[in-house]
Coordinates of all heavy atoms in Angstrom, one line a residue:
A287 N 0.8 -1.2 0.0 CA 0.0 0.0 0.0 C 0.9 1.2 0.0 O 2.0 1.2 0.5 CB -0.9 0.0 1.3
P288 N 0.4 2.3 -0.5 CA 1.2 3.5 -0.6 C 1.5 4.1 0.8 O 0.5 4.1 1.6 CB 0.5 4.5 -1.5 CG -0.9 3.9 -1.4 CD -0.8 2.5 -1.3
L289 N 2.7 4.6 1.0 CA 3.1 5.2 2.3 C 3.5 6.7 1.9 O 4.7 7.0 1.8 CB 4.1 4.5 3.0 CG 4.5 5.0 4.4 CD1 3.3 4.9 5.3 CD2 5.7 4.2 4.9
Q290 N 2.5 7.5 1.5 CA 2.8 8.8 0.9 C 2.2 10.0 1.6 O 2.5 11.1 1.2 CB 2.2 8.8 -0.5 CG 2.5 7.6 -1.4 CD 3.9 7.5 -1.9 OE1 4.7 8.4 -1.6 NE2 4.2 6.5 -2.7
N291 N 1.6 9.8 2.8 CA 1.0 10.9 3.6 C 2.2 11.8 4.0 O 3.0 11.4 4.9 CB 0.2 10.4 4.7 CG -0.5 11.4 5.4 OD1 -0.7 12.5 4.8 ND2 -1.0 11.2 6.6
G292 N 2.2 13.0 3.5 CA 3.2 13.9 4.0 C 4.5 13.9 3.0 O 5.4 14.7 3.2
F293 N 4.5 12.9 2.1 CA 5.7 12.7 1.3 C 5.6 13.8 0.1 O 4.5 14.4 -0.1 CB 5.6 11.3 0.6 CG 7.0 10.7 0.4 CD1 7.9 10.6 1.5 CD2 7.3 10.2 -0.8 CE1 9.1 10.1 1.2 CE2 8.6 9.6 -1.0 CZ 9.5 9.5 0.0
P294 N 6.6 14.1 -0.6 CA 6.6 15.1 -1.7 C 5.5 14.6 -2.7 O 5.4 13.6 -3.2 CB 8.0 15.0 -2.3 CG 8.9 14.5 -1.2 CD 8.0 13.6 -0.4
E295 N 4.6 15.6 -3.0 CA 3.6 15.3 -4.0 C 4.2 15.2 -5.4 O 3.7 14.6 -6.3 CB 2.5 16.4 -3.9 CG 1.7 16.4 -2.6 CD 0.6 17.4 -2.7 OE1 0.3 18.1 -3.7 OE2 -0.1 17.5 -1.6
S296 N 5.2 16.0 -5.7 CA 5.9 16.0 -6.9 C 6.5 14.7 -7.2 O 7.3 14.2 -6.4 CB 7.0 17.1 -6.9 OG 7.9 16.9 -8.0
R297 N 6.2 14.2 -8.3 CA 6.7 12.9 -8.8 C 8.2 13.0 -9.1 O 9.0 12.0 -9.2 CB 5.9 12.3 -10.0 CG 4.5 11.9 -9.6 CD 3.8 11.4 -10.8 NE 2.4 11.1 -10.4 CZ 2.0 9.9 -9.9 NH1 2.8 8.9 -9.9 NH2 0.8 9.7 -9.6
Y298 N 8.7 14.2 -9.4 CA 10.1 14.4 -9.7 C 10.9 14.3 -8.4 O 12.0 13.8 -8.4 CB 10.2 15.8 -10.3 CG 11.6 16.2 -10.6 CD1 12.3 15.7 -11.7 CD2 12.3 17.1 -9.8 CE1 13.6 16.0 -12.0 CE2 13.6 17.4 -10.1 CZ 14.3 16.9 -11.1 OH 15.6 17.2 -11.4
Y299 N 10.4 14.8 -7.3 CA 11.1 14.9 -6.1 C 10.8 13.7 -5.2 O 11.6 13.4 -4.2 CB 10.8 16.1 -5.3 CG 11.5 17.4 -5.9 CD1 10.7 18.5 -6.3 CD2 12.8 17.4 -6.1 CE1 11.3 19.6 -6.8 CE2 13.4 18.5 -6.7 CZ 12.7 19.6 -7.0 OH 13.3 20.7 -7.6
R300 N 9.8 12.9 -5.4 CA 9.5 11.7 -4.5 C 10.3 10.5 -4.9 O 10.3 9.5 -4.2 CB 8.1 11.4 -4.6 CG 7.6 10.6 -5.9 CD 6.2 10.0 -5.7 NE 5.2 10.9 -5.4 CZ 3.9 10.7 -5.4 NH1 3.5 9.5 -6.0 NH2 3.0 11.6 -5.1
K301 N 11.1 10.6 -5.9 CA 12.0 9.4 -6.3 C 12.9 9.1 -5.1 O 13.6 10.0 -4.7 CB 12.7 9.7 -7.5 CG 11.8 9.8 -8.8 CD 12.6 10.1 -10.1 CE 13.0 11.5 -10.1 NZ 13.7 12.0 -11.4
T302 N 12.8 7.8 -4.7 CA 13.5 7.5 -3.5 C 14.7 6.6 -3.7 O 14.6 5.5 -4.4 CB 12.5 6.7 -2.5 OG1 11.4 7.6 -2.2 CG2 13.3 6.3 -1.2
Q303 N 15.9 7.0 -3.4 CA 17.1 6.3 -3.6 C 17.5 5.4 -2.5 O 18.1 4.4 -2.7 CB 18.2 7.4 -3.8 CG 19.7 6.8 -3.9 CD 19.9 6.1 -5.3 OE1 19.1 6.4 -6.2 NE2 20.9 5.4 -5.4
T304 N 17.2 5.8 -1.2 CA 17.6 5.0 -0.1 C 16.6 5.0 1.0 O 15.9 6.0 1.2 CB 19.0 5.5 0.4 OG1 19.5 4.8 1.5 CG2 18.9 6.9 0.8
L305 N 16.5 3.9 1.8 CA 15.7 3.8 3.0 C 16.6 3.3 4.2 O 17.5 2.6 4.0 CB 14.5 2.8 2.8 CG 13.5 3.1 1.8 CD1 12.5 1.9 1.6 CD2 12.7 4.4 2.1
F306 N 16.1 3.8 5.4 CA 16.8 3.3 6.6 C 15.7 3.3 7.7 O 15.0 4.2 7.9 CB 17.9 4.4 7.0 CG 18.6 4.1 8.3 CD1 19.6 3.1 8.4 CD2 18.2 4.8 9.4 CE1 20.2 2.8 9.5 CE2 18.8 4.5 10.7 CZ 19.8 3.5 10.7
Y307 N 15.8 2.1 8.3 CA 14.7 1.8 9.3 C 15.4 1.7 10.7 O 16.3 0.9 10.9 CB 14.0 0.5 9.0 CG 12.8 0.3 9.9 CD1 11.8 1.3 10.0 CD2 12.5 -1.0 10.4 CE1 10.8 1.1 10.9 CE2 11.4 -1.2 11.2 CZ 10.5 -0.2 11.4 OH 9.4 -0.5 12.1
L308 N 14.9 2.6 11.6 CA 15.5 2.7 13.0 C 14.5 2.1 13.9 O 13.4 2.7 14.2 CB 15.8 4.1 13.3 CG 16.4 4.3 14.7 CD1 17.7 3.6 14.9 CD2 16.6 5.8 14.9
E309 N 14.7 0.8 14.3 CA 13.7 0.2 15.2 C 14.0 0.5 16.6 O 15.1 0.5 17.1 CB 13.8 -1.4 14.9 CG 13.3 -1.8 13.5 CD 12.9 -3.3 13.5 OE1 11.8 -3.5 14.2 OE2 13.5 -4.0 12.8
S310 N 12.9 0.7 17.3 CA 12.9 1.0 18.7 C 11.4 0.9 19.2 O 10.5 0.4 18.5 CB 13.5 2.4 19.0 OG 12.6 3.4 18.4
D311 N 11.2 1.4 20.5 CA 9.8 1.4 21.0 C 9.0 2.4 20.1 O 7.7 2.3 20.1 CB 9.8 1.9 22.4 CG 10.5 0.9 23.3 OD1 10.5 -0.3 22.9 OD2 11.0 1.3 24.3
S312 N 9.7 3.4 19.5 CA 9.0 4.3 18.6 C 9.7 4.3 17.3 O 10.6 5.3 17.0 CB 9.0 5.8 19.2 OG 8.3 6.7 18.3
P313 N 9.6 3.3 16.4 CA 10.4 3.1 15.2 C 10.1 4.3 14.2 O 9.1 4.9 14.1 CB 9.8 1.8 14.6 CG 8.5 1.6 15.2 CD 8.5 2.2 16.5
R314 N 11.2 4.6 13.4 CA 11.1 5.7 12.4 C 11.8 5.1 11.2 O 12.8 4.4 11.2 CB 11.9 6.9 12.9 CG 11.4 7.5 14.2 CD 12.2 8.7 14.6 NE 11.9 9.9 13.7 CZ 12.5 11.0 13.8 NH1 13.6 11.1 14.6 NH2 12.2 11.9 13.0
L315 N 11.2 5.5 10.1 CA 11.7 5.1 8.8 C 12.2 6.5 8.1 O 11.4 7.5 8.1 CB 10.5 4.6 7.9 CG 10.9 4.2 6.4 CD1 11.9 3.0 6.4 CD2 9.6 3.9 5.7

């Protein structure tokens, strides 16, 4: 499913090169 809420609306700028997942009690991507 799309995870785009708050992400750049521009298709030019939303291109994603890298992801990093920080797991904890309050995980952040």
Side-chain angles (χ1 to χ4, degrees):
L289 188 61
Q290 312 285 1
N291 188 16
F293 216 54
E295 294 184 4
S296 164
R297 293 178 183 269
Y298 177 77
Y299 285 124
R300 75 167 54 164
K301 291 178 287 188
T302 303
Q303 173 76 17
T304 178
L305 292 176
F306 176 79
Y307 189 44
L308 180 59
E309 290 205 67
S310 64
D311 294 336
S312 180
R314 300 180 74 190
L315 177 68

